[in-house]
Amino acid sequence: MSDRELSGDEQQQSQAQGSGEQELATRTLHIQSKRFYLDVKQNRRGRFIKVAEVGAGGKKSRLLLAMSSAAEFRDYLTEFTEHYASLDANDESPSNTENPPEDGKLKSEMIVKDNKRYYLDLKENQRGRFLRVSQTIPRGGPRSQIAIPAQGMIEFRDALTELLDEYGTDDQEPQSELPESRSMRVENKMFYFDVGSNRRGVYMRVSEVVPDRNYMSRSSPQVRNNFRTAITIPERSWARFRDTLSEFVDKSGKKEGSQ
C-alpha cells in the first residue's frame, strides 16, 4: 500500500482519469527540502512518465518523458553521477573550485525525442551542485524544468530504474483495450478504479482519496491537500476479490433484515 499527498490540481487530474488517462504507478522521493513524484501514466497514445518537483515553498515544476526518453535519461543519470563523484568530494564550496566555469555548468547533455528537447546540465552555484533538466518544444512553446540536488541523483536514478524495469521502455500504444477508469464518492471520500497492464499482466488499482483537513495551502487558502492510499489487485484475483466482497455484502444485508 502506498501513501501520497495530492494537491488540488493533481486531484483534478485524478478525476480526469475517466477520460482515458490512467496512473499505473508512482514513486515519491524526498531529497533535501524538495519532494519529487515519478508517475507512470497511460493514455490512448501509450505510456509516459510525469516527473513533478515540489519545492519547500510549494512551488511545482513538471516534465513529461516518453518511456524511451526516460530510459535515456536514466542512462545519463549514471554518467552525471560518475562525473559528480569524480569532482573533489572534500570541496563542497563552489567558490573553492579550481577554474569554475562562468555559467556554472560542469557537464551537459541533450535528449531529442520527436519535437521535444531535453537539456541536462550539471551546475553549481552558491547553494551547491545540482542537475537542471529542461524540457522545450518548438515554435516558442513553454519551457519547463526541474532541479535535482546532486546528492540525490543516485536515488532518483534508482527509482526511475525500478519503474522502467516494471513497465518497460516501449512508447507504443497498449496492445489490448483496457476498461475505462471508474470513480465513486462515499461521504467525504473518493474511490478510483483504474485498470492497467505491465509485464506481469493486467491489474486493477483501487485508490482512496480523503481530504486532509489539517492542511491548508499558504498561497491559496481555498485549496487543501488530499491524502491518498491505493491497493493493486492482479486480474487473476478479481473473481476472488468480488466473491469475498459479495459475501460481506450478503452478511450485512441479512443483519439489516433481521433488525
Side-chain angles (χ1 to χ4, degrees):
M1 183 177 294
S2 61
D3 298 337
R4 181 182 174 189
E5 291 180 354
L6 294 179
S7 62
D9 60 340
E10 289 177 329
Q11 170 68 16
Q12 293 177 357
Q13 289 179 357
S14 294
Q15 292 175 343
Q17 287 178 345
S19 63
E21 184 175 288
Q22 302 173 347
E23 182 178 287
L24 305 181
T26 185
R27 296 287 188 276
T28 303
L29 304 177
H30 296 268
I31 303 176
Q32 295 184 357
S33 61
K34 298 181 177 183
R35 294 197 311 273
F36 293 91
Y37 298 113
L38 281 67
D39 300 329
V40 179
K41 292 181 174 288
Q42 179 173 283
N43 56 26
R44 295 179 181 178
R45 292 178 293 179
R47 292 177 183 161
F48 60 95
I49 291 181
K50 184 184 80 172
V51 180
E53 172 196 336
V54 182
K59 183 179 179 181
K60 299 172 188 175
S61 302
R62 298 180 179 87
L63 297 177
L64 298 180
L65 294 160
M67 300 303 284
S68 59
S69 298
E72 193 172 354
F73 177 39
R74 184 265 320 273
D75 295 339
Y76 275 130
L77 277 171
T78 298
E79 294 185 15
F80 279 103
T81 299
E82 293 174 351
H83 183 78
Y84 171 66
S86 69
L87 301 175
D88 187 0
N90 296 323
D91 181 10
E92 298 181 357
S93 174
S95 61
N96 292 333
T97 303
E98 295 184 3
N99 301 321
E102 293 182 0
D103 59 0
K105 292 183 181 180
L106 303 173
K107 178 179 172 62
S108 297
E109 297 289 352
M110 183 176 65
I111 299 173
V112 179
K113 175 65 177 179
D114 297 330
N115 65 335
K116 297 184 178 69
R117 291 176 182 268
Y118 302 88
Y119 298 93
L120 286 59
D121 299 307
L122 181 63
K123 304 186 69 176
E124 65 177 1
N125 57 25
Q126 294 180 350
R127 290 177 293 180
R129 292 166 178 152
F130 60 95
L131 178 64
R132 186 182 67 185
V133 185
S134 305
Q135 173 187 345
T136 63
I137 58 177
R139 299 179 182 178
R143 170 182 287 224
S144 55
Q145 64 183 30
I146 62 172
I148 306 169
Q151 297 91 331
M153 288 191 297
I154 293 179
E155 183 181 0
F156 198 100
R157 180 202 62 190
D158 292 346
L160 190 58
T161 297
E162 289 180 7
L163 293 173
L164 293 171
D165 288 345
E166 182 75 13
Y167 294 95
T169 60
D170 191 356
D171 298 331
Q172 295 181 359
E173 299 180 8
Q175 295 181 354
S176 58
E177 187 71 21
L178 299 176
E180 292 187 359
S181 300
R182 302 287 295 275
S183 64
M184 60 181 288
R185 178 181 292 276
V186 180
E187 297 178 348
N188 69 328
K189 299 181 180 180
M190 286 296 299
F191 292 90
Y192 298 94
F193 303 83
D194 302 311
V195 179
S197 64
N198 55 29
R199 295 178 180 179
R200 299 177 183 175
V202 178
Y203 62 89
M204 177 183 295
R205 180 185 176 94
V206 182
S207 305
E208 173 192 3
V209 179
V210 183
D212 183 357
R213 300 183 182 276
N214 296 323
Y215 174 87
M216 182 174 292
S217 173
R218 296 179 181 176
S219 60
S220 180
Q222 293 78 20
V223 177
R224 294 179 180 272
N225 265 18
N226 297 282
F227 189 72
R228 176 173 184 162
T229 58
I231 61 173
T232 301
I233 309 168
E235 184 181 28
R236 61 180 179 275
S237 302
W238 289 0
R240 292 173 56 192
F241 194 89
R242 176 203 59 198
D243 294 343
T244 301
L245 185 59
S246 296
E247 183 180 345
F248 281 109
V249 172
D250 293 341
K251 289 182 179 180
S252 177
K254 291 179 180 178
K255 288 182 180 180
E256 292 178 357
S258 62
Q259 294 179 354

